Amino acid sequence: MSLLLNINVWPEKPWLARFRALLPDMEVVSAHAAFDRPSITYAAVWKPAHGSLVGLPNLKAILNLGAGVDHLLLDKTLPPVTLCRTVDQSLTSRMTEWIVMQCLMKLRRVQELQAAQARRAWAKELNSPDAHTVRIGVMGMGVLGADAATKLKMMGFDVAGWSNSGRTTADVPMFAGKAGLDPFLGRTDILVVLLPHTPETDDILNRALFQKLARDGRLGGPVLINAGRGGLQNEADILACLDDGTLHSAVLDVFRTEPLPDASPFWNHPKVTITPHNSADSDPEAVARYIARQIRLHQAGQPMESEVNVERGY
Ligand code: NDP
Ligand code: OXD
């Protein structure tokens, strides 16, 4: 009975140490060294190479060390075992911190103030509207969207959400599905995107959508903030819409190609803020504790707390 760690992009060492401490009765092995394939019962993964989870005859469940499972579901060879993702307060709080920070920076015109400081300009004219006059629309109102919307509302913003079902745990007005999208966009000054990347959401952030955002807001034009996935965004449309004023500015944590290539025009664009897909990194300390608990539940014959609906894609 062994746990296979198959981690790419992130350093593996802290995860190995953490899982070995949390699961002393299991052997914890790395996919990047030789291991006994029939002994593997669970696999804890982040961006495993496609095809690397085949040939594990006793595998019972795959546990994703992050929230989004898009990379896994693109693997046509993914074994048909239970798939569980991470839903953890540490990850949720990090994401909400990042979203609230980016919205407050737009509200308080931080980039413009920094530019004024660089010019030694006492820019009293760079004042801010009241938060309650700024309408934020959160696309994707699941675990992360609901938490961000709740805290943005606490900060005084006028917040609404959009999701497939229209259901959420946040106490904000909701818009649902295709029918709800246009009215949602029409009352949105800052579009916060926390959708999963699925065939339905691929390329959803495009010119046609940006053109439906409110144009009578207090920020000088619609602002895009995307921390969902790069596959949601049409990057050529974002650049063109920034250049022709359809968008006021964009804050992007995720990109179609990561790391963002050196030649990308996003790097130097004056209306773009970039963070390196670190709005909500998985903390080995907290996330391994969550995943170890899911393994214990599964071993006890109980459902795990965040099993993925593979048909739905999230
Ligand atoms: P959840 O599954 O809890 O929530 C997903 C939300 O998106 C739900 O409200 C769901 O609607 C909605 N949704 C999905 N598909 C559609 C659609 N086609 N149309 C409308 N609404 C849709 O996910 P999380 O909140 O935990 O995470 C969201 C995403 O955030 C992850 O998938 C990942 O891509 C990204 N992420 C990014 C991180 C980063 O560091 N940048 C870190 C962590 C996550 P409904 O409720 O009706 O089903
Ligand atoms: C995640 C991520 O999905 O970090 O957890 O992107």
Side-chain angles (χ1 to χ4, degrees):
M1 194 178 57
S2 304
L3 170 66
L4 176 68
L5 279 196
N6 191 332
I7 296 178
N8 288 297
V9 185
W10 303 336
E12 173 193 68
K13 220 171 146 186
W15 292 95
L16 270 175
R18 187 74 181 123
F19 276 115
R20 283 180 177 145
L22 286 164
L23 298 167
D25 54 327
M26 286 181 93
E27 201 187 352
V28 181
V29 299
S30 164
H32 303 300
F35 62 93
D36 176 43
R37 300 190 81 87
S39 71
I40 303 300
T41 42
Y42 296 96
V45 305
W46 183 245
K47 298 204 168 161
H50 287 176
S52 64
L53 295 172
V54 292
L56 303 172
N58 296 309
L59 186 67
K60 296 182 195 310
I62 299 170
L63 300 110
N64 190 50
L65 297 174
V69 291
D70 46 313
H71 175 86
L72 277 174
L73 296 184
L74 284 173
D75 183 353
K76 299 290 170 236
T77 68
L78 195 71
V81 296
T82 306
L83 175 58
C84 176
R85 71 188 188 100
T86 295
V87 172
D88 175 72
Q89 191 52 46
S90 122
L91 193 149
T92 304
S93 301
R94 280 156 196 255
M95 180 58 86
T96 295
E97 286 163 13
W98 186 91
I99 297 286
V100 171
M101 173 183 74
Q102 300 300 347
C103 291
L104 286 174
M105 285 177 74
K106 290 297 167 189
L107 176 75
R108 301 306 301 256
R109 306 175 71 174
V110 171
Q111 283 98 348
E112 289 161 272
L113 287 164
Q114 284 171 338
Q117 181 179 345
R119 297 192 309 274
R120 307 179 87 80
W122 188 254
K124 280 293 273 182
E125 73 284 5
L126 291 180
N127 48 19
S128 315
D130 277 350
H132 72 84
T133 65
V134 174
R135 297 160 295 182
I136 298 184
V138 182
M139 285 183 102
M141 286 291 290
V143 175
L144 301 181
D147 193 68
T150 301
K151 310 254 165 81
L152 288 165
K153 184 180 164 184
M154 278 181 198
M155 294 307 303
F157 288 105
D158 180 1
V159 185
W162 179 76
S163 73
N164 246 334
S165 62
R167 284 190 296 274
T168 186
T169 57
D171 180 20
V172 298
M174 283 297 293
F175 295 81
K178 287 196 171 57
L181 185 56
D182 287 6
F184 164 80
L185 296 170
R187 52 80 61 213
T188 293
D189 302 317
I190 301 182
L191 184 67
V192 168
V193 186
L194 285 168
L195 285 167
H197 184 212
T198 67
E200 283 70 44
T201 61
D202 184 74
D203 219 38
I204 190 170
L205 303 176
N206 58 34
R207 174 178 283 281
L209 182 142
F210 302 142
Q211 282 171 335
K212 293 175 183 165
L213 290 163
R215 299 219 56 85
D216 58 350
R218 305 288 308 277
L219 301 178
V223 175
L224 168 68
I225 299 180
N226 183 19
R229 280 289 184 267
L232 303 170
Q233 66 200 17
N234 183 316
E235 299 188 342
D237 280 6
I238 293 177
L239 287 163
C241 287
L242 288 168
D243 290 342
D244 70 13
T246 304
L247 286 175
H248 169 274
S249 53
V251 182
L252 306 174
D253 183 54
V254 287
F255 297 89
R256 283 209 171 249
T257 304
E258 296 180 5
L260 187 63
D262 195 45
S264 169
F266 281 126
W267 284 115
N268 294 327
H269 200 291
K271 296 181 179 174
V272 176
T273 304
I274 290 171
T275 58
H277 197 146
N278 73 347
S279 52
D281 277 337
S282 289
D283 171 39
E285 184 74 21
V287 172
R289 189 184 324 119
Y290 177 82
I291 295 294
R293 190 166 78 240
Q294 305 316 307
I295 292 174
R296 294 301 187 212
L297 284 171
H298 194 268
Q299 286 175 325
Q302 292 173 30
M304 295 191 262
E305 291 167 309
S306 47
E307 291 184 7
V308 173
N309 180 336
V310 173
E311 293 304 310
R312 204 174 59 162
Y314 63 97

